[in-house]
Amino acid sequence: MNMRKIAIGLLAFALVAPSIASVSLKDKKEKKPKTEKKVKVDNKTKTSKASSSNSPRKVQTINDVEAAILGIEKIVSHTLVEVEPIVQQICESQQTKKSVCPRIYVGAANAFWLKSGVSDTTYALKYIDKAIELDPHYSPAYMLKGDIYKWADDTTVAINYYKKAIEMAPNDFRTYRKYAAFVEAGLDKVTERAFAGDTEAQEEVRKRRAKLENIYAMAKEANPTFPYNRDCARLYAAYGLTTNEIQKGIQLYDEAQKDSLEADDYTSQARMVYTFVDNADGNTKLQLYTRIMNICDSGLVRYPAYYYILSTGADWANRAYDLVKKQQGEALYEYKKLFASRALEYSETLIASKDTAITDLNYLNYGKALINNNKLNQGIDVLKELLKSPTIKDDQVASAMGVISNTYKDMGEYDKAETAYQEYINTVESNGKLNYFHLQNYAAMYKDKAEECVGMEQVAAYKKAFDIYGQAAERFPDYADYGYINQLQLSPLIDPDQEAGVGLRPALQLYNSVSANASWQLMATRYLVGYYFNVKKSKELARKYFMRWHELDPDNETVKRNIAILYKVKL
């Protein structure tokens, strides 16, 4: 028994010693005369002092209660002795003749439930009931009781206590949010099934979302300052199943009070707008991207260095620029300037912030933005430095190398472009992600080079492009027709007189293709007629191609005359 008392005493001393020390140190500096405690004040003065944030009396009381709760948590987590009598004594010490403190009992209940290591609900409920006995209107007591019954999967009882908490504190936002969190629990998993086509899950999502909206409506009715539109917008951002529902969420964000929006709300709204981009036509895409930029800019007015607004803004601005960069027209030129400048502003602000959340993707977007704003060498330097990153992903490597290659090409530095393109192709291929369009862009680089050369150097560049198109056609059969038609178009630039038959193989491939369109087949047929009739001087070999030519172009008089000569028939 003596050992037990000693242990209890040690625990109690460990609890109160820190707070005693901190108070005594403070009191040594600001100790007031005892006579001051006897000064009588009227009720108005008492109220004024109680409401003042500078009141030493109030600060000390709060510190005492919170320190006591921290001490209770330490004691409850200690399993060597029976601690409930100590906790009870501490709670009783906070009660006086003139005031009661239900907060200490709720704190003790929470400690028994969450800090004991055994989720002791018996003592937890006992102390909650004591708090309610002291103050039947103390909302946190009902809220914690609801949490405990929720944990015990007794949802009906839990809901009743959450509603009771709201009834006791109708102006306290926390009570509504606690109840809403209970309703929302697990809804993300249900939404995943809903998106997968589960009709029951879809119904459940809409049912619970409507219930959450109703909770927020109750909060708004009780307290007009409750951010109803914002919180409902968040629901549709997380649980919107159709485009109409997402559109409703966007509208709710537009209607929300700007002061209620947090930084993530801007990125959430912008993300919702972005969902409409893929299925929109060209002009609508431009409008959507512009709206996204406006949302990001609005967010940065209030949160000028927020990582996610800057990061996603730069990414979307670069995507918007890619949409219009090859298109002509004065209006589109203005869009190019807008998207390029915004991407660079977002990126420069983000990089300058030195935020610890900055990733390789941010540097990739920064390099692209520099290049899109004609800061070519600076952009290349950023991307080359990025390629040294130990954390860079394969697709980011490929993207950076592709941009570097194209930039060298645009600068007319074809030697560097060739080297960069070859490294780029090798990298993408080693990652198993090489596709037809990688090779098509590689070939296009040689075509661009050829246009700036003359003589044999020009022919050599066209020949390289021709060979790459051939490789692309062979390696990617689904796109073979594209490779062959590009080869056929290049053949007269390499072999003007057709004597070498450079275009013979791609022409035969297109002629025999069941997927090539009529215009491509006509081009192939005309080549074959010219090669066999004019170069090989073989009327026999040319006959079938003349007939196919006539099928594809029945009004061509030259073809009719030649067929009449070859077949001795009149068409």
Side-chain angles (χ1 to χ4, degrees):
M1 180 63 71
N2 290 336
M3 291 299 294
R4 182 174 179 276
K5 289 182 178 179
I6 292 171
I8 292 175
L10 288 172
L11 284 170
F13 180 76
L15 162 66
V16 298
S19 60
I20 291 172
S22 61
V23 173
S24 61
L25 287 173
K26 182 177 180 182
D27 287 348
K28 285 180 181 180
K29 296 180 181 178
E30 300 181 4
K31 191 170 184 180
K32 297 182 179 180
K34 293 182 179 180
T35 54
E36 184 178 328
K37 293 183 180 180
K38 298 181 180 179
V39 176
K40 293 183 178 180
V41 293
D42 57 24
N43 290 335
K44 184 176 180 180
T45 306
K46 287 182 179 179
T47 303
S48 175
K49 286 187 176 182
S51 63
S52 172
S53 61
N54 296 321
S55 169
R57 178 69 178 172
K58 181 181 179 185
V59 170
Q60 183 177 334
T61 302
I62 291 175
N63 286 344
D64 286 348
V65 173
E66 297 306 319
I69 291 173
L70 288 174
I72 289 172
E73 290 178 354
K74 291 180 181 179
I75 292 174
V76 168
S77 66
H78 198 289
T79 59
L80 293 178
V81 295
E82 174 60 44
V83 298
E84 199 271 335
I86 305 174
V87 174
Q88 185 175 348
Q89 183 178 0
I90 294 171
C91 291
E92 290 174 353
S93 70
Q94 296 295 322
Q95 317 306 316
T96 67
K97 292 181 179 180
K98 294 184 178 180
S99 65
V100 294
C101 184
R103 169 76 182 97
I104 190 72
Y105 283 98
V106 170
N110 192 67
F112 277 114
W113 182 38
L114 296 179
K115 303 294 182 178
S116 65
V118 293
S119 299
D120 191 335
T121 59
T122 301
Y123 278 136
L125 292 173
K126 171 184 174 180
Y127 278 83
I128 290 172
D129 289 340
K130 182 62 178 179
I132 294 172
E133 178 185 334
L134 289 173
D135 184 354
H137 298 283
Y138 191 60
S139 173
Y142 298 103
M143 193 60 66
L144 182 57
K145 205 165 186 178
D147 288 345
I148 291 174
Y149 280 100
K150 171 190 170 184
W151 173 79
D153 292 328
D154 197 335
T155 56
T156 302
V157 176
I159 289 173
N160 289 336
Y161 281 114
Y162 286 134
K163 289 181 177 179
K164 186 69 173 179
I166 290 173
E167 179 186 341
M168 294 299 102
N171 294 320
D172 189 344
F173 292 172
R174 292 172 298 178
T175 56
Y176 297 97
R177 297 200 189 288
K178 196 79 170 182
Y179 183 26
F182 168 71
V183 174
E184 192 175 0
L187 190 52
D188 54 341
K189 300 296 183 183
V190 181
T191 305
E192 288 179 10
R193 300 203 310 271
F195 276 122
D198 187 329
T199 55
E200 290 185 4
Q202 292 169 1
E203 183 179 350
E204 175 69 11
V205 168
R206 292 190 173 97
K207 179 180 177 181
R208 288 170 68 176
R209 191 178 62 207
K211 189 168 185 177
L212 288 164
E213 288 184 84
N214 184 57
I215 294 171
Y216 296 149
M218 291 166 53
K220 180 73 172 177
E221 184 178 356
N223 190 332
T225 63
F226 185 84
Y228 171 81
N229 288 336
R230 183 202 69 183
D231 283 16
C232 287
R234 290 176 177 177
L235 292 179
Y236 284 94
Y239 311 118
L241 302 179
T242 66
T243 54
N244 287 338
E245 291 175 357
I246 293 172
Q247 188 62 56
K248 182 176 180 180
I250 294 171
Q251 182 180 347
L252 285 164
Y253 267 128
D254 288 337
E255 295 171 354
Q257 289 184 337
K258 297 305 176 187
D259 290 345
S260 73
L261 296 180
E262 297 175 359
D264 283 331
D265 291 312
Y266 292 95
T267 54
S268 179
Q269 185 181 11
R271 191 161 44 246
M272 293 170 78
V273 173
Y274 186 73
T275 60
F276 294 93
V277 169
D278 286 343
N279 296 323
D281 59 33
N283 289 331
T284 306
K285 281 184 179 180
L286 291 175
Q287 295 170 6
L288 291 171
Y289 274 124
T290 303
R291 186 172 184 186
I292 289 170
M293 299 300 100
N294 291 336
I295 293 170
C296 291
D297 290 344
S298 297
L300 291 173
V301 170
R302 301 186 62 220
Y303 305 97
Y306 188 63
Y307 170 79
Y308 289 103
I309 296 178
L310 293 168
S311 177
T312 56
D315 190 28
W316 283 323
N318 274 334
R319 296 187 195 192
Y321 179 86
D322 289 342
L323 176 68
V324 295
K325 67 180 178 181
K326 293 183 179 179
Q327 301 179 34
Q328 304 300 318
E330 185 174 345
L332 291 173
Y333 174 72
E334 292 301 318
Y335 276 112
K336 288 180 198 176
K337 288 200 303 182
L338 168 67
F339 297 141
S341 63
R342 298 309 293 132
L344 185 56
E345 289 174 23
Y346 296 145
S347 294
E348 286 182 332
T349 303
L350 179 59
I351 299 303
S353 73
K354 297 183 180 180
D355 195 303
T356 55
I358 291 173
T359 65
D360 294 330
L361 178 61
N362 299 134
Y363 280 101
L364 178 61
N365 277 315
Y366 181 35
K368 288 180 179 179
L370 286 166
I371 289 167
N372 293 341
N373 283 273
N374 293 316
K375 298 182 179 183
L376 306 182
N377 286 313
Q378 189 179 348
I380 289 174
D381 289 343
V382 168
L383 295 178
K384 284 185 173 180
E385 192 64 29
L386 170 63
L387 292 173
K388 300 176 185 178
S389 170
T391 58
I392 189 169
K393 298 177 181 177
D394 290 345
D395 59 332
Q396 293 169 347
V397 170
S399 180
M401 296 182 73
V403 173
I404 291 170
S405 304
N406 282 321
T407 304
Y408 278 134
K409 181 193 75 172
D410 293 340
M411 295 168 68
E413 298 186 23
Y414 288 106
D415 290 342
K416 292 181 178 179
E418 287 181 60
T419 301
Y421 256 114
Q422 188 58 61
E423 292 177 354
Y424 168 52
I425 295 299
N426 292 342
T427 298
V428 177
E429 186 171 21
S430 66
N431 294 334
K433 296 183 178 180
L434 183 69
N435 61 43
Y436 172 83
F437 298 101
H438 291 131
L439 294 173
Q440 177 178 273
N441 292 335
Y442 188 23
M445 184 271 295
Y446 282 109
K447 286 171 64 177
D448 289 343
K449 178 182 179 180
E451 292 174 3
E452 297 186 13
C453 301
V454 293
M456 294 306 295
E457 188 178 359
Q458 183 182 65
V459 173
Y462 279 133
K463 184 65 169 61
K464 284 185 177 180
F466 181 93
D467 291 341
I468 293 170
Y469 280 126
Q471 295 172 25
E474 290 179 3
R475 297 188 64 170
F476 303 99
D478 290 343
Y479 294 93
D481 292 343
Y482 293 94
Y484 293 131
I485 193 63
N486 276 295
Q487 280 191 305
L488 195 57
Q489 290 170 339
L490 287 174
S491 64
L493 302 172
I494 301 168
D495 181 25
D497 299 324
Q498 298 184 3
E499 291 183 358
V502 170
L504 182 60
R505 185 173 184 279
L508 287 169
Q509 292 287 349
L510 287 170
Y511 180 84
N512 293 314
S513 173
V514 295
S515 58
N517 62 51
S519 63
W520 291 2
Q521 286 197 343
L522 177 59
M523 187 182 295
T525 303
R526 290 173 62 182
Y527 179 91
L528 293 169
V529 166
Y531 179 73
Y532 287 113
F533 190 73
N534 298 320
V535 178
K536 292 298 183 180
K537 308 296 183 183
S538 173
K539 296 179 181 179
E540 187 66 29
L541 291 173
R543 281 182 179 179
K544 70 173 183 178
Y545 301 117
F546 265 118
M547 291 301 295
R548 180 60 178 153
W549 189 351
H550 176 61
E551 291 174 8
L552 295 168
D553 188 11
D555 297 326
N556 190 305
E557 294 298 330
T558 302
V559 176
K560 290 180 182 180
R561 286 195 300 272
N562 280 288
I563 289 177
I565 294 170
L566 288 171
Y567 288 92
K568 296 181 181 181
V569 296
K570 187 175 181 180
L571 295 176

